[in-house]
Amino acid sequence: MSKVKICTRFAPSPTGSMHIGNLRTAFYAYALAKHSNGDFILRIEDTDKKREKEGGVEDIKRLLGIFNIKWDEFYVQSERLDLYNKAAERLVKEGRAFYCQCEAKNAKEDGFSKDLRDPCRDKNLTSGAIKLKVPDNEGVGFTDFVINKKVSWSTNIVGDATLLKTDKFPTYHLAVVVDDNDMKISHVLRGHDWMPSTPIHLLVYKYLGFDVPQIGHLTDIMDPDGGKLSKRKGSTSVQGLLDEGYLPDALFNFVILLGWAPKNNQELFNLNSFVKDFDQSGFQKSNPVFNRDKLDWFNGQYIRKLSIEELINKLNLENTSKNKSIVSLIQDRIKKLSDFNSLTSFFFEKPEVDTKLFGENYKKHLRKAIEGIQSERDLMEVVKENDFKTGDFFMDLRIAITGVKFTPPINESIAILGKEEGLARLNKFI
Ligand code: GLU
């Protein structure tokens, strides 16, 4: 028997800026398909028009593009309403769903009925919203391929979910089943928060006579302080993290290891090596923690791998010889691109110096430094000759030149600034 082609999809709703958890789902779904030369589909789930954000679709495409994720097929649910309407009407005809005219009144915020069994279910109405007629006392279940466990429910806890709204738009529950079937999705991969919807979907699959695909729910990404990931300590949106100065390569590498691990201890992955090594059994069962220090570490690794030219480009700098020298001086020292400005602003403008930062001997230190620089001597010799404390001497020099205590190496910095500018900054204080 020939193996069924693997086909996965990423199915975001264009309702806001893409979260790091969604990006992770996209990477895993992509790798799962591409590892076996399968297809990866991008499907926009835009059936909730009220929550849609303008430019949301373009944004999703742009962000996936930044990470080189390419899709084989592309669909937009709002362009496929016919399909969902037909499926819903069929379910009514076959006694598996019913028209309801108290949809809004009887709906909680998440779209579920306030009562599990809807008052309209036995009224035989002929128009309105369409809801699933959930049977009592039955079991529904599936084996989750991420956590590798059988999950089951009694239908007694499953509500008569809305499938089609009065505006003829489907809800997620109907559209997801119709589309996953229509698009021949072999593996459905989604976040753990969708687990409560799965029993509804399983009933819809059954009543529409569709084969149930493999379904897997990814772990939740946790905050280092406990609980689900929150924005307290910085951005958790993909764009926000890019804006903070994380490189796409670093973000990719960090994200794929939040919930998946290779068989060996390899840590550095790019898209190609991840696809090649991807293996479903690498999905972790416990919730990963979003560790920013680890992300910083990855980012540092990828910044060091860049050529000076590449780094100049990423920093949006002009390719001048001064910029090249500055960039090579800080390449080993920055964790994020956004560290660049604070570390190097003194090269581009005269610093504001708080004289309280100087040590008590600063005048003596600066005077001797000026003499040393003028006669092009090694400043270490100046320190020894005058019996200065090395740390104190260079700290005063650093503060006078840069205004701050943490900077790139000061000798090299003065060389880049130029002797004249260096001397001018020192002379100001004596
Ligand atoms: N539209 C859902 C989301 O935004 C998709 C869930 C699924 O993949 O089934 O995450």
Side-chain angles (χ1 to χ4, degrees):
M1 213 173 76
S2 69
K3 263 200 354 210
V4 185
K5 185 168 184 170
I6 295 209
C7 183
T8 64
R9 80 319 191 257
F10 177 48
S13 300
T15 50
S17 62
M18 200 196 289
H19 184 264
I20 205 74
N22 294 127
L23 185 69
R24 182 185 64 160
T25 306
F27 292 157
Y28 290 159
Y30 179 85
L32 178 56
K34 293 300 161 187
H35 179 75
S36 343
N37 284 318
D39 283 345
F40 172 72
I41 290 178
L42 174 59
R43 182 172 78 216
I44 303 297
E45 302 209 325
D46 62 341
T47 56
D48 190 348
K49 286 292 174 193
K50 285 194 294 294
R51 289 181 55 224
E52 190 162 337
K53 198 185 94 183
E54 212 189 301
V57 177
E58 286 319 305
D59 223 42
I60 289 165
K61 289 180 164 177
R62 181 182 59 82
L63 287 171
L64 292 177
I66 288 179
F67 296 93
N68 269 318
I69 299 291
K70 299 192 175 75
W71 46 93
D72 300 288
E73 293 168 34
F74 174 73
Y75 299 96
V76 179
Q77 285 187 329
S78 62
E79 294 167 3
R80 300 162 56 81
L81 298 185
D82 232 29
L83 216 62
Y84 315 123
N85 276 269
K86 283 207 181 97
E89 280 156 22
R90 204 182 109 202
L91 288 172
V92 175
K93 215 191 265 153
E94 292 174 6
R96 298 305 189 177
F98 57 92
Y99 281 107
C100 163
Q101 287 174 0
C102 57
E103 180 196 21
K105 261 192 291 164
N106 195 38
K108 291 194 291 187
E109 208 150 87
D110 57 7
F112 284 95
S113 301
K114 282 184 196 133
D115 310 312
L116 282 184
R117 298 292 164 255
D118 193 278
C120 289
R121 69 186 339 241
D122 299 313
K123 288 188 190 158
N124 290 319
L125 299 169
T126 51
S127 65
I130 294 179
K131 289 187 174 178
L132 183 66
K133 199 177 219 169
V134 177
D136 289 322
N137 303 320
E138 284 185 19
V140 273
F142 76 111
T143 300
D144 189 295
F145 79 87
V146 170
I147 51 179
N148 219 344
K149 237 167 77 184
K150 191 161 172 30
V151 188
S152 47
W153 296 264
S154 156
T155 52
N156 293 348
I157 62 149
V158 182
D160 291 349
T162 304
L163 300 177
L164 197 74
K165 295 174 274 183
T166 37
D167 61 3
K168 301 286 179 203
F169 272 74
T171 59
Y172 163 64
H173 305 305
L174 178 63
V176 77
V177 172
V178 168
D179 279 350
D180 285 341
N181 177 71
D182 188 62
M183 296 168 193
K184 302 194 171 50
I185 303 299
S186 65
H187 292 69
V188 168
L189 200 54
R190 59 175 162 239
H192 185 252
D193 25 343
W194 297 105
M195 183 71 99
S197 304
T198 301
I200 301 168
H201 303 177
L202 293 172
L203 289 172
V204 178
Y205 276 111
K206 186 165 145 193
Y207 298 152
L208 287 173
F210 297 160
D211 287 338
V212 182
Q214 297 283 321
I215 304 176
H217 294 85
L218 295 164
T219 45
D220 283 326
I221 303 175
M222 307 302 279
D223 209 86
D225 295 339
K228 278 204 346 188
L229 186 59
S230 78
K231 289 183 197 146
R232 256 170 301 158
K233 293 247 176 77
S235 197
T236 55
S237 80
V238 180
Q239 189 58 53
L241 288 159
L242 293 170
D243 291 345
E244 273 183 43
Y246 292 106
L247 300 177
D249 289 348
L251 213 47
F252 171 82
N253 202 149
F254 173 73
V255 166
I256 57 135
L257 295 176
L258 287 174
W260 180 85
K263 288 216 174 66
N264 53 19
N265 286 330
Q266 185 178 332
E267 271 198 306
L268 296 180
F269 285 92
N270 58 26
L271 186 58
N272 282 339
S273 61
F274 177 52
V275 165
K276 190 166 151 282
D277 291 2
F278 183 82
D279 176 357
Q280 271 183 51
S281 66
F283 280 128
Q284 305 294 289
K285 314 269 178 301
S286 56
N287 291 335
V289 174
F290 189 94
N291 178 343
R292 272 176 205 275
D293 292 337
K294 187 82 194 183
L295 174 56
D296 286 348
W297 180 83
F298 274 118
N299 211 43
Q301 297 293 311
Y302 284 94
I303 288 176
R304 320 271 181 269
K305 279 192 192 190
L306 298 173
S307 69
I308 298 298
E309 262 75 20
E310 286 169 326
L311 188 47
I312 283 195
N313 267 333
K314 298 216 184 275
L315 289 163
N316 288 324
L317 298 172
E318 245 180 282
N319 197 348
T320 61
S321 67
K322 179 179 172 187
N323 284 343
K324 274 195 219 161
S325 314
I326 295 173
V327 167
S328 32
L329 205 56
I330 54 82
Q331 185 170 28
D332 286 349
R333 292 182 168 74
I334 59 173
K335 288 184 190 148
K336 296 189 263 182
L337 298 182
S338 54
D339 295 339
F340 179 79
N341 285 344
S342 59
L343 212 55
T344 62
S345 60
F346 72 92
F347 283 115
F348 304 98
E349 56 203 40
K350 291 194 195 299
E352 295 224 6
V353 178
D354 177 359
T355 50
K356 286 199 286 295
L357 293 177
F358 283 130
E360 50 179 348
N361 297 321
Y362 80 98
K363 290 218 166 168
K364 225 191 279 173
H365 288 156
L366 298 186
R367 223 175 264 124
K368 290 292 173 192
I370 292 169
E371 281 174 29
I373 292 170
Q374 271 166 344
S375 48
E376 307 209 341
R377 293 184 60 203
D378 179 350
L379 290 178
M380 263 324 280
E381 275 177 35
V382 174
V383 170
K384 278 195 204 122
E385 199 173 272
N386 291 284
D387 244 351
F388 290 152
K389 286 199 182 124
T390 316
D392 294 353
F393 172 83
F394 282 106
M395 186 52 83
D396 286 337
L397 192 59
R398 189 182 301 279
I399 287 164
I401 299 276
T402 72
V404 289
K405 290 183 167 181
F406 301 99
T407 69
I410 196 64
N411 284 322
E412 282 95 326
S413 298
I414 295 173
I416 293 172
L417 271 176
K419 197 162 139 183
E420 208 177 307
E421 177 62 21
L423 288 172
R425 291 188 187 186
L426 298 180
N427 272 313
K428 231 178 111 183
F429 300 104
I430 54 173

